[in-house]
Amino acid sequence: MNGRHRAIAAAFRMMVAVGADRWGRGFAQGRGVILTLHHVRPAVPHGFTPNALLEITPEFLDATLGLVRAEGYELVSLDEAVARLQSPKQGRFFVALTFDDGYRDNVEHAWPVLARHGAPWTLFVTPGFADRTARLWWLELEEAIRALPRLDLALPEGRFTARTETDAEKNRAFAKLYWRLRKGPEAILLSAISDLAGQAGIDAAALLERECLPWETLRALSGAPGVTIGAHTLTHPMLAKHDAETAHREIVASKARLEAEFGLPIRHFAYPVGDPGSAGLREFGLAKEAGFASAVTTRPGHLFPEHVNHLHALPRVSLNGLHQNEAALRALLSGLPFWLRNRGRRLAIG
């Protein structure tokens, strides 16, 4: 955990210690919250785990759902969450659970926990992952750096080199290279990571097979009680980095493909990566035009009545694998960290 996350953890502990998570609810909590999850699987100790923030343990998921119930909150589907935003009736604070990408561990480790708690959930599926044709580029980057003792990469704005013999060196190199690539065009990012993966002998298709659910499992899952399937584009691009035609195709065709595969309407959409650099006003409009009832970002925040006019730019709160403890969970469910981050603004759309 780096200095930034240590400071965040300390802030969560302080909020709970002084009771701010409780007294702040009246103005910070809103109507409900949509939680973002990716991987749910047993903890495996590694010194180099740059994507650890994307995974929580089944035990923490169980503790999360137990606390939600103990606090008197309601676990609702994404359909119900949207319906409650559209209804003027006040009810209990609600929590909706969403899982991005379509990982095998969502079925193997998360679903049993969700079933025990009677918790509905939405799985946002990227057809390219199920086809084994898209790219888990952030995982390719991790695996390549894990395998290589040194990085030497030609980039348009200059060469990137780094020693990666120790875990500390690997962590530093990943952080620097990841954010350098994220700032530029996605084509350069994908090409650069392909280069590194080739040097390291990483098979991108094998990673997809290892991590992501196949179509046959997804088809069985699509008809299961309490499970909603949503769309997550065809190939998981950062949409705002592409032209309008590409973004439109990724959104519209993902809906059509999933509806053809499952024989069910696909009503909800999640923007890949989902931050302001990956999804903005253009993408919100495209998702609405495509006929989705809602679309979710990764901009952090709770849901307020005002979001009824922005159903295609809904915020979510990530269950971060670096903060798997009760203090963090209580702080996140209070809404106070996001009220402070957004300086009291309920909407963060632009």
Side-chain angles (χ1 to χ4, degrees):
M1 187 183 294
N2 61 27
R4 175 174 174 269
H5 281 286
R6 285 194 292 271
I8 290 171
F12 288 158
R13 291 193 299 269
M14 180 63 70
M15 285 181 187
V16 173
V18 301
D21 64 305
R22 294 194 175 277
W23 57 253
R25 291 178 184 177
F27 55 86
Q29 195 171 51
R31 299 287 306 278
V33 65
I34 303 171
L35 297 180
T36 309
L37 300 94
H38 289 82
H39 291 286
V40 178
R41 55 194 179 192
V44 178
H46 287 301
F48 172 60
T49 54
N51 288 306
L53 75 169
L54 297 178
E55 58 183 80
I56 65 170
T57 66
E59 293 76 17
F60 184 62
L61 177 59
D62 183 66
T64 297
L65 300 181
L67 181 61
V68 167
R69 295 289 196 199
E71 290 293 317
Y73 304 150
E74 291 188 85
L75 290 164
V76 304
S77 68
L78 201 48
D79 278 327
E80 179 64 16
V82 171
R84 293 194 183 197
L85 286 175
Q86 294 170 326
S87 170
K89 292 176 61 178
Q90 292 294 322
R92 285 189 288 162
F93 182 78
F94 62 82
V95 177
L97 303 167
T98 62
F99 294 74
D100 287 8
D101 301 337
Y103 296 114
R104 289 181 183 272
D105 56 64
N106 294 172
V107 170
E108 295 167 359
H109 297 294
W111 199 8
V113 178
L114 296 162
R116 284 201 305 272
H117 287 270
W121 55 293
T122 296
L123 181 66
F124 288 113
V125 173
T126 297
F129 293 159
D131 289 336
R132 310 304 192 234
T133 56
R135 300 273 303 278
L136 294 168
W137 56 262
W138 55 98
L139 184 56
E140 292 176 31
L141 180 60
E142 176 180 338
E143 296 289 350
I145 293 177
R146 178 173 286 115
L148 294 170
R150 179 176 175 80
L151 305 185
D152 189 352
L153 192 61
L155 296 173
E157 70 277 20
R159 203 162 200 89
F160 181 90
T161 60
R163 289 179 55 182
T164 51
E165 295 176 0
T166 68
D167 288 338
E169 289 172 343
K170 291 179 188 295
N171 278 309
R172 285 194 296 269
F174 182 97
K176 289 179 181 178
L177 183 56
Y178 175 92
W179 288 112
R180 181 166 165 178
L181 293 173
R182 275 283 303 273
K183 291 177 182 177
E186 190 162 11
I188 293 174
L189 177 150
L190 293 173
S191 176
I193 294 175
S194 286
D195 187 355
L196 281 181
Q199 294 177 37
I202 303 301
D203 185 336
L207 287 181
L208 286 162
E209 182 64 28
R210 185 187 82 189
E211 298 291 336
C212 295
L213 290 164
W215 281 114
E216 55 266 32
T217 305
L218 289 168
R219 291 188 190 100
L221 192 63
S222 67
V227 180
T228 299
I229 300 294
H232 200 34
T233 69
L234 284 174
T235 64
H236 204 273
M238 290 176 274
L239 292 168
K241 290 179 175 286
H242 297 269
D243 60 67
E245 181 181 354
T246 299
H248 177 268
R249 181 176 64 252
E250 286 279 345
I251 293 170
V252 172
S254 66
K255 187 178 195 294
R257 174 72 187 281
L258 294 177
E259 289 178 341
E261 291 286 348
F262 304 139
L264 296 169
I266 302 297
R267 291 174 38 80
H268 306 284
F269 180 81
Y271 304 100
V273 184
D275 66 345
S278 306
L281 294 177
R282 185 192 70 176
E283 288 69 42
F284 303 157
L286 290 172
K288 184 176 182 179
E289 290 171 11
F292 289 103
S294 80
V296 296
T297 70
T298 59
R299 301 179 189 213
H302 281 214
L303 301 174
F304 292 89
E306 293 87 343
H307 282 105
V308 72
N309 296 316
H310 303 278
L311 293 176
H312 299 87
L314 295 178
R316 290 189 290 175
V317 170
S318 176
L319 283 189
N320 190 307
L322 301 180
H323 301 282
Q324 298 186 65
N325 57 74
E326 184 176 338
L329 183 56
R330 287 188 177 278
L332 294 174
L333 291 175
S334 76
L336 189 57
F338 317 111
W339 184 88
L340 292 170
R341 181 182 187 274
N342 296 327
R343 299 177 182 176
R345 290 182 300 140
R346 293 182 169 190
L347 298 176
I349 303 300

